[in-house]
Amino acid sequence: YIYAYENNNKKQNVGFAKVDIRGDYGQIEIHLKRTGFTNTQCPVYFFTREKNEIIGVKIGEMDFINGTSDFGTRFDCKSIRDSGYSMREMKGLLIPRDATVMFASQWDEKEIVREKFREYDKENRKTESKPILAEEPILKEESTQMAELEAEAIKETPIQVEERGIKNKSKSELQMQWERL
């Protein structure tokens, strides 16, 4: 389950994520609802812990419309986004909205403190010292290229949804079911 956090305090459940791993590759689906945010985009990270820091490996961006958002992507489990971190090292999922609000799910029992979060820096093989905020500008060309690549990946591999006994449902059918919950 994914929870909203405000000033590092865990609030309400706002959705769920499903991670499916098959061999060396995995895919993730995220569905959020009643977040209170609209017309915004937030980065999505898997995270691990090193010493006293939370290190995030960016796996994409989520668009929020009328308080809801859906996201899906595929990844290499041995080195997520060529970071050198494997899926076995990941401790959860984090979606920062701004300096005080985030959405997160963790797979360990440790607390998630927003100020300890740093994005993994691929080029220097170390972490950046500044926190990542959702309001950072996104280049239109970069956004268009990402959308084209994701659309191409979705065409190649249909997502199999097994939540509540549902298989091979379209995104709109899943959205309607989620809204009924």
Side-chain angles (χ1 to χ4, degrees), residues 28-134:
I28 184 170
E29 287 181 51
I30 301 172
H31 304 281
L32 301 180
K33 180 175 174 173
R34 294 185 294 272
T35 65
F37 296 105
T38 190
N39 298 326
T40 190
Q41 191 174 54
C42 296
V44 179
Y45 298 91
F46 279 132
F47 71 83
T48 189
R49 298 179 192 273
E50 285 186 2
K51 298 181 183 176
N52 202 23
E53 287 190 316
I54 297 172
I55 310 301
V57 177
K58 188 174 179 180
I59 59 172
E61 299 272 339
M62 290 185 81
D63 292 317
F64 287 78
I65 299 170
N66 297 327
T68 65
S69 186
D70 295 301
F71 172 81
T73 191
R74 295 185 61 182
F75 54 90
D76 180 349
C77 292
K78 289 184 177 180
S79 180
I80 297 172
R81 300 295 189 254
D82 297 322
S83 66
Y85 289 108
S86 72
M87 191 61 194
R88 290 180 191 262
E89 296 173 276
M90 294 298 121
K91 304 296 181 194
L93 174 70
L94 191 130
I95 306 160
R97 166 65 180 110
D98 56 33
T100 61
V101 176
M102 65 182 167
F103 307 105
S105 180
Q106 64 193 52
W107 305 316
D108 61 14
E109 296 300 317
K110 296 180 181 178
E111 68 179 346
I112 299 174
V113 178
R114 178 72 173 89
E115 293 78 14
K116 294 181 180 181
F117 176 77
R118 302 289 178 255
E119 182 175 6
Y120 177 79
D121 181 359
K122 225 189 254 192
E123 293 178 14
N124 296 323
R125 296 285 195 212
K126 62 181 181 179
T127 59
E128 296 180 358
S129 60
K130 68 178 183 86
I132 303 302
L133 303 178

Side-chain angles (χ1 to χ4, degrees), residues 8 13 21 26 58 62 68 70 84 110 116 123 127-128 134-135 141 150 152 158 163 165 169 172 179-180:
N8 295 319
N13 178 335
I21 296 174
K58 188 174 179 180
M62 290 185 81
T68 65
D70 295 301
K110 296 180 181 178
K116 294 181 180 181
E123 293 178 14
T127 59
E128 296 180 358
E135 287 80 27
E141 179 180 305
E150 286 178 0
E152 194 172 303
E163 286 291 319
K169 293 279 185 173
S172 61
E179 288 171 358
R180 285 189 293 246

